[in-house]
């Protein structure tokens, strides 16, 4: 009897002494395995008979159950310890602030672009989009720019290492004006042969490129072209449309406009549109914001239209310039420096 108690005590002590599950299984084998201590005692029963055998058998069984209980307890304890260890190793600091979700924001120039589209749509203009890699004819020739026009020089224009079907090099468009040609030609072709053609009323915003870089010029910048062609469209209409646009864009009426005579090959007469705020920090300073004019008869002909019948105006304005005036930004390069402290101001939550 004592000998059985000792055996249980020894097994318990051995189980407690190990701290690896594999070692525990080895210890188990020494008691419950095929050649374990308890198994050997069971075998010895064969030598006994009758009550002595039954009694001894019951005692050995009790001892065996005690060893199995001790084994199971140690197994559970080791599994629990391992779990705790793993949890500690993977501990997360729940007091850290979350990473948050950044939705991104609208760039101030794009914000102006969207406003310009919205304003012109509201007065019946379409919005057209076209290629940034343009051919020489559409960017220059169709717009009545002579071969020796300075805009064609290597110093002013980014040429692309590709040629069009006439052997002329392709280029990054130097203005959005070629969209006048593309849009009006498509419009004229669509209505060819009809008794009357609906008016062309379109703006074409987009990126433009010139070899130019300082506080007020960037090699890539944005313009929006405007074109209104009908049978009775005059410079008075241009003045009305552009004045209404500026009032809507700046959300104020205290703006004075000036149409200053100028020269562009694709308009005659041509003007620079200057504006002036009548109040506020920029009060009283003339600011040049757009070129404009009555579309030159040669250009109307290049639209595929008859200049004796179709007449109208065009304008081309810089989106950066308007954005700088709207928000009071002094240096155009800030738009493209990628500084979040600058950009986030236009996307207040
Ligand atoms: N394309 C001219 C430029 O980039 C701007 C311009 C002037 C556009 C007069 C026009 C216009 O449509 O009529 O400097």
């Amino acid at each position: 009897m004592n000998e059985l108690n000792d055996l249980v005590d020894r097994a318990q002590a051995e189980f407690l002494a190990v701290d690896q599950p594999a070692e525990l299984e080895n210890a188990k084998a020494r008691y419950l395995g095929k050649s374990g201590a308890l198994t050997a005692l069971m075998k010895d029963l064969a030598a006994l008979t009758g009550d002595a055998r039954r009694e001894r058998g019951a005692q050995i069984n009790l001892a065996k159950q005690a060893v199995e209980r001790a084994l199971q307890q140690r197994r559970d304890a080791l599994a629990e310890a391992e779990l705790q260890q793993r949890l500690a190793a993977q501990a997360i600091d729940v007091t850290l602030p979350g990473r948050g979700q950044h939705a991104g924001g609208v760039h101030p120039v794009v914000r102006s672009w969207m406003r310009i589209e919205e304003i012109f749509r509201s007065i019946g203009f379409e919005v057209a989009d076209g290629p940034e890699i343009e051919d020489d004819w559409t960017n220059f020739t169709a717009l009545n720019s002579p071969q020796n026009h300075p805009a064609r020089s290597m110093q002013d224009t980014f040429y692309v290492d590709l040629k069009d079907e006439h052997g002329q090099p392709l280029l990054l468009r130097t203005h959005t004006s070629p969209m006048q040609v593309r849009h009006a030609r498509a419009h004229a072709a669509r209505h060819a042969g009809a008794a009357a053609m609906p008016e062309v009323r379109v703006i074409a915003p987009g990126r433009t490129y010139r070899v130019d870089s300082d506080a007020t010029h960037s090699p890539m910048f944005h313009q929006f072209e405007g074109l209104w062609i009908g049978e009775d469209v005059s410079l008075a209409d241009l003045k009305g449309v552009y004045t209404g646009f500026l009032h809507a864009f700046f959300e104020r009426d205290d703006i004075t406009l000036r149409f200053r005579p100028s020269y562009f090959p694709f308009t005659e007469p041509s003007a620079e549109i200057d504006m002036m705020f009548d109040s506020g920090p920029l009060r009283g300073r003339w600011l040049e914001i757009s070129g404009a004019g009555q579309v030159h008869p040669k250009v109307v002909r290049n639209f595929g239209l008859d200049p004796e019948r179709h007449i109208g105006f065009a304008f081309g304005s810089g989106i950066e310039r308007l954005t700088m005036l709207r928000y009071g930004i002094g240096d155009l390069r800030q738009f493209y420096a990628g500084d979040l402290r600058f950009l986030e101001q236009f996307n207040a939550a």
Side-chain angles (χ1 to χ4, degrees), residues 172-222:
L172 297 182
R173 65 179 179 190
T174 57
H175 48 181
T176 44
S177 302
M179 279 307 295
Q180 290 184 31
V181 181
R182 288 183 177 273
H183 186 83
R185 282 175 70 84
H187 185 94
R190 211 163 34 244
H191 299 284
M197 185 189 81
E199 292 189 337
V200 176
R201 257 184 256 132
V202 68
I203 61 158
R207 278 178 285 272
T208 53
Y209 303 84
R210 279 182 217 171
V211 183
D212 222 348
S213 186
D214 60 35
T216 52
H217 298 89
S218 146
M220 186 283 300
F221 61 105
H222 296 75

Coordinates of all heavy atoms in Angstrom, one line a residue, residues 172-222:
L172 N 4.2 68.6 -76.9 CA 3.2 68.8 -75.7 C 2.5 70.1 -76.0 O 3.2 71.1 -76.2 CB 4.0 68.8 -74.4 CG 4.7 67.5 -74.1 CD1 5.4 67.7 -72.7 CD2 3.8 66.3 -74.1
R173 N 1.2 70.1 -76.0 CA 0.5 71.3 -76.4 C 0.9 72.5 -75.6 O 1.0 72.4 -74.4 CB -1.0 71.0 -76.4 CG -1.6 70.8 -75.0 CD -3.1 70.6 -75.0 NE -3.6 70.3 -73.7 CZ -4.8 69.9 -73.4 NH1 -5.7 69.7 -74.4 NH2 -5.2 69.7 -72.2
T174 N 1.1 73.6 -76.3 CA 1.6 74.8 -75.6 C 0.4 75.6 -75.0 O 0.7 76.6 -74.3 CB 2.4 75.6 -76.5 OG1 1.6 76.0 -77.7 CG2 3.6 74.9 -77.0
H175 N -0.8 75.3 -75.4 CA -2.0 75.9 -74.9 C -3.2 75.0 -75.2 O -3.0 74.0 -75.8 CB -2.2 77.3 -75.6 CG -2.1 77.3 -77.1 ND1 -2.2 78.5 -77.9 CD2 -1.8 76.3 -78.0 CE1 -2.0 78.2 -79.1 NE2 -1.8 76.9 -79.3
T176 N -4.3 75.4 -74.7 CA -5.5 74.6 -74.9 C -6.2 75.0 -76.2 O -7.2 74.4 -76.6 CB -6.5 74.7 -73.7 OG1 -6.6 76.1 -73.3 CG2 -6.1 73.8 -72.6
S177 N -5.7 76.0 -76.9 CA -6.3 76.5 -78.1 C -6.5 75.4 -79.2 O -7.5 75.5 -79.9 CB -5.6 77.7 -78.7 OG -5.5 78.8 -77.7
P178 N -5.6 74.5 -79.3 CA -5.9 73.4 -80.3 C -7.2 72.7 -80.1 O -7.8 72.1 -81.0 CB -4.7 72.4 -80.2 CG -4.0 72.8 -79.0 CD -4.3 74.3 -78.7
M179 N -7.8 72.8 -78.9 CA -9.1 72.2 -78.6 C -10.2 72.9 -79.3 O -11.2 72.4 -79.6 CB -9.3 72.1 -77.1 CG -8.7 70.9 -76.5 SD -9.0 69.3 -77.4 CE -10.8 69.2 -77.1
Q180 N -10.0 74.2 -79.6 CA -10.9 75.0 -80.5 C -11.1 74.2 -81.8 O -12.2 74.0 -82.3 CB -10.4 76.4 -80.8 CG -10.4 77.3 -79.6 CD -10.0 78.7 -80.1 OE1 -10.3 79.1 -81.3 NE2 -9.3 79.5 -79.3
V181 N -9.9 73.9 -82.4 CA -9.9 73.3 -83.7 C -10.5 71.9 -83.7 O -11.4 71.6 -84.5 CB -8.4 73.2 -84.2 CG1 -8.4 72.7 -85.6 CG2 -7.8 74.6 -84.1
R182 N -10.1 71.1 -82.7 CA -10.6 69.8 -82.6 C -12.1 69.8 -82.4 O -12.9 69.0 -83.1 CB -9.9 69.0 -81.5 CG -8.5 68.6 -81.8 CD -7.9 67.8 -80.7 NE -6.5 67.4 -81.1 CZ -6.2 66.3 -81.8 NH1 -7.2 65.5 -82.2 NH2 -5.0 66.1 -82.2
H183 N -12.6 70.6 -81.5 CA -14.0 70.5 -81.1 C -14.8 71.1 -82.3 O -15.8 70.5 -82.7 CB -14.2 71.3 -79.8 CG -15.7 71.2 -79.4 ND1 -16.1 70.1 -78.6 CD2 -16.7 72.0 -79.6 CE1 -17.4 70.2 -78.4 NE2 -17.8 71.3 -79.0
A184 N -14.4 72.3 -82.8 CA -15.2 72.9 -83.8 C -15.3 72.1 -85.1 O -16.3 72.0 -85.8 CB -14.7 74.3 -84.1
R185 N -14.1 71.5 -85.5 CA -14.1 70.6 -86.7 C -15.1 69.5 -86.5 O -15.8 69.1 -87.4 CB -12.7 70.1 -87.0 CG -11.8 71.2 -87.6 CD -10.4 70.7 -87.7 NE -10.3 69.6 -88.8 CZ -10.1 69.9 -90.1 NH1 -10.1 71.1 -90.5 NH2 -10.0 68.9 -90.9
A186 N -15.1 68.8 -85.3 CA -16.0 67.7 -85.1 C -17.4 68.1 -85.2 O -18.3 67.5 -85.7 CB -15.6 67.0 -83.8
H187 N -17.7 69.3 -84.6 CA -19.0 69.9 -84.5 C -19.5 70.2 -86.0 O -20.6 69.8 -86.3 CB -19.0 71.1 -83.7 CG -20.3 71.8 -83.5 ND1 -21.1 71.5 -82.4 CD2 -21.0 72.7 -84.2 CE1 -22.2 72.2 -82.4 NE2 -22.2 72.9 -83.5
A188 N -18.6 70.8 -86.7 CA -19.0 71.2 -88.1 C -19.2 69.9 -88.9 O -20.2 69.8 -89.7 CB -17.9 72.0 -88.7
A189 N -18.4 68.9 -88.8 CA -18.6 67.6 -89.5 C -19.9 67.0 -89.1 O -20.6 66.4 -90.0 CB -17.4 66.7 -89.3
R190 N -20.2 67.0 -87.9 CA -21.4 66.4 -87.4 C -22.7 67.0 -88.0 O -23.7 66.4 -88.2 CB -21.5 66.5 -85.9 CG -22.2 65.3 -85.2 CD -21.9 65.1 -83.7 NE -21.7 66.3 -82.9 CZ -20.6 66.6 -82.3 NH1 -19.5 65.8 -82.4 NH2 -20.5 67.8 -81.6
H191 N -22.6 68.3 -88.3 CA -23.8 69.0 -88.7 C -23.7 69.4 -90.2 O -24.4 70.3 -90.7 CB -24.0 70.3 -87.9 CG -24.3 69.9 -86.4 ND1 -25.5 69.4 -86.0 CD2 -23.5 70.0 -85.4 CE1 -25.4 69.1 -84.7 NE2 -24.2 69.5 -84.3
A192 N -22.7 68.8 -90.9 CA -22.4 69.2 -92.3 C -23.7 68.9 -93.1 O -24.3 67.8 -92.9 CB -21.3 68.4 -92.9
G193 N -24.1 69.8 -94.0 CA -25.3 69.6 -94.8 C -26.6 70.0 -94.2 O -27.6 70.1 -94.9
A194 N -26.6 70.2 -92.9 CA -27.8 70.6 -92.2 C -28.2 72.0 -92.6 O -27.3 72.8 -92.8 CB -27.7 70.4 -90.7
A195 N -29.4 72.4 -92.6 CA -29.8 73.8 -92.9 C -29.2 74.8 -91.9 O -28.7 75.8 -92.3 CB -31.4 73.9 -92.9
A196 N -29.2 74.4 -90.7 CA -28.7 75.3 -89.6 C -27.8 74.5 -88.7 O -28.2 73.4 -88.3 CB -29.8 76.1 -88.9
M197 N -26.7 75.1 -88.3 CA -25.8 74.4 -87.3 C -26.1 75.0 -85.9 O -26.1 76.2 -85.8 CB -24.4 74.6 -87.8 CG -23.4 73.8 -87.0 SD -21.7 74.3 -87.3 CE -21.5 75.8 -86.3
P198 N -26.2 74.1 -84.9 CA -26.3 74.6 -83.6 C -25.0 75.4 -83.2 O -23.9 75.1 -83.8 CB -26.4 73.4 -82.7 CG -26.6 72.2 -83.6 CD -26.2 72.6 -85.0
E199 N -25.1 76.3 -82.4 CA -23.9 77.1 -82.0 C -22.8 76.2 -81.3 O -23.2 75.2 -80.7 CB -24.3 78.2 -81.0 CG -25.1 79.3 -81.7 CD -25.3 80.5 -80.8 OE1 -25.1 80.4 -79.6 OE2 -25.6 81.6 -81.3
V200 N -21.6 76.6 -81.5 CA -20.5 75.9 -80.8 C -20.3 76.7 -79.5 O -20.1 77.9 -79.5 CB -19.2 76.0 -81.5 CG1 -18.0 75.4 -80.7 CG2 -19.3 75.3 -82.9
R201 N -20.5 76.0 -78.4 CA -20.3 76.7 -77.1 C -19.6 75.7 -76.2 O -20.2 74.7 -75.8 CB -21.7 77.0 -76.4 CG -22.0 78.5 -76.5 CD -23.3 78.8 -75.8 NE -24.4 78.9 -76.7 CZ -25.6 78.3 -76.6 NH1 -25.8 77.6 -75.6 NH2 -26.5 78.6 -77.5
V202 N -18.3 75.9 -76.0 CA -17.5 74.9 -75.3 C -16.4 75.5 -74.5 O -15.9 76.6 -74.8 CB -16.9 73.9 -76.4 CG1 -15.9 74.6 -77.2 CG2 -16.4 72.6 -75.7
I203 N -16.1 74.8 -73.4 CA -14.8 75.1 -72.8 C -14.0 73.8 -72.8 O -14.5 72.7 -72.8 CB -14.9 75.7 -71.3 CG1 -15.6 74.7 -70.4 CG2 -15.6 77.0 -71.3 CD1 -15.3 74.9 -68.9
A204 N -12.7 74.0 -72.8 CA -11.8 72.8 -72.8 C -10.7 73.1 -71.8 O -9.7 73.7 -72.1 CB -11.2 72.6 -74.2
P205 N -10.8 72.6 -70.6 CA -9.8 72.8 -69.6 C -8.7 71.6 -69.7 O -9.1 70.5 -70.1 CB -10.5 72.6 -68.2 CG -11.9 72.0 -68.6 CD -12.0 71.9 -70.0
G206 N -7.5 71.9 -69.2 CA -6.5 70.8 -69.2 C -5.1 71.3 -69.0 O -4.9 72.5 -68.9
R207 N -4.2 70.3 -69.1 CA -2.8 70.6 -68.9 C -2.1 71.1 -70.1 O -2.5 70.7 -71.2 CB -2.1 69.4 -68.4 CG -2.2 69.1 -66.9 CD -1.5 67.8 -66.5 NE -2.3 66.6 -67.0 CZ -3.3 66.1 -66.3 NH1 -3.6 66.6 -65.1 NH2 -4.0 65.1 -66.7
T208 N -1.2 72.1 -70.0 CA -0.5 72.6 -71.1 C 1.0 72.7 -70.7 O 1.3 72.7 -69.5 CB -1.0 74.0 -71.5 OG1 -1.0 74.8 -70.3 CG2 -2.4 73.9 -72.0
Y209 N 1.9 72.8 -71.6 CA 3.3 72.7 -71.3 C 4.2 73.8 -72.1 O 4.0 74.0 -73.3 CB 3.8 71.3 -71.8 CG 3.0 70.2 -71.1 CD1 1.8 69.8 -71.6 CD2 3.5 69.6 -69.9 CE1 1.1 68.7 -71.0 CE2 2.8 68.6 -69.3 CZ 1.6 68.2 -69.9 OH 0.9 67.2 -69.3
R210 N 5.1 74.4 -71.4 CA 6.0 75.3 -72.0 C 7.3 75.3 -71.2 O 7.3 75.0 -70.0 CB 5.5 76.8 -72.0 CG 4.5 77.0 -73.1 CD 4.0 78.4 -73.0 NE 2.6 78.5 -73.4 CZ 1.8 79.5 -73.3 NH1 2.3 80.7 -72.9 NH2 0.6 79.5 -73.7
V211 N 8.4 75.6 -71.9 CA 9.7 75.6 -71.3 C 9.8 76.9 -70.5 O 10.2 77.9 -71.0 CB 10.8 75.5 -72.3 CG1 12.2 75.4 -71.6 CG2 10.7 74.3 -73.2
D212 N 9.4 76.9 -69.3 CA 9.2 78.1 -68.5 C 9.2 77.7 -67.0 O 8.4 76.8 -66.7 CB 7.9 78.7 -68.9 CG 8.0 80.2 -69.1 OD1 9.0 80.8 -68.6 OD2 7.1 80.8 -69.6
S213 N 9.9 78.4 -66.2 CA 9.8 78.1 -64.8 C 10.3 79.2 -63.9 O 11.5 79.5 -63.9 CB 10.6 76.8 -64.5 OG 10.4 76.4 -63.1
D214 N 9.4 79.8 -63.2 CA 9.7 80.8 -62.1 C 8.5 80.9 -61.2 O 7.6 80.1 -61.2 CB 10.2 82.1 -62.7 CG 9.1 82.8 -63.6 OD1 7.9 82.7 -63.2 OD2 9.4 83.4 -64.6
A215 N 8.5 82.0 -60.4 CA 7.4 82.1 -59.4 C 6.0 82.2 -60.0 O 5.0 81.9 -59.3 CB 7.7 83.3 -58.5
T216 N 5.9 82.6 -61.3 CA 4.6 82.7 -61.8 C 4.4 81.8 -63.1 O 3.4 81.9 -63.8 CB 4.3 84.2 -62.2 OG1 5.3 84.7 -63.0 CG2 4.1 85.1 -61.0
H217 N 5.5 81.0 -63.4 CA 5.4 80.1 -64.5 C 5.9 78.7 -64.1 O 6.9 78.6 -63.4 CB 6.2 80.6 -65.7 CG 5.8 81.9 -66.2 ND1 6.2 83.1 -65.8 CD2 4.8 82.2 -67.2 CE1 5.6 84.1 -66.4 NE2 4.8 83.6 -67.3
S218 N 5.2 77.7 -64.6 CA 5.6 76.3 -64.3 C 5.6 75.6 -65.7 O 4.8 75.9 -66.6 CB 4.6 75.7 -63.4 OG 4.4 74.3 -63.7
P219 N 6.5 74.7 -65.9 CA 6.6 74.0 -67.2 C 5.3 73.3 -67.6 O 5.0 73.1 -68.7 CB 7.8 73.1 -67.1 CG 8.2 73.0 -65.7 CD 7.6 74.3 -65.0
M220 N 4.6 72.9 -66.6 CA 3.3 72.3 -66.8 C 2.3 73.2 -66.1 O 2.5 73.5 -64.9 CB 3.2 70.9 -66.2 CG 1.9 70.1 -66.5 SD 0.5 70.6 -65.5 CE 1.1 70.2 -63.8
F221 N 1.3 73.6 -66.7 CA 0.3 74.4 -66.1 C -1.1 74.2 -66.7 O -1.2 73.4 -67.7 CB 0.7 75.9 -66.2 CG 0.8 76.5 -67.6 CD1 -0.2 77.3 -68.1 CD2 1.9 76.1 -68.4 CE1 -0.1 77.8 -69.4 CE2 2.0 76.6 -69.7 CZ 1.0 77.5 -70.2
H222 N -2.1 74.8 -66.2 CA -3.5 74.5 -66.7 C -4.1 75.7 -67.3 O -3.9 76.8 -66.8 CB -4.3 74.0 -65.5 CG -3.9 72.7 -64.9 ND1 -2.8 72.7 -64.1 CD2 -4.3 71.5 -65.0 CE1 -2.6 71.4 -63.7 NE2 -3.5 70.7 -64.2

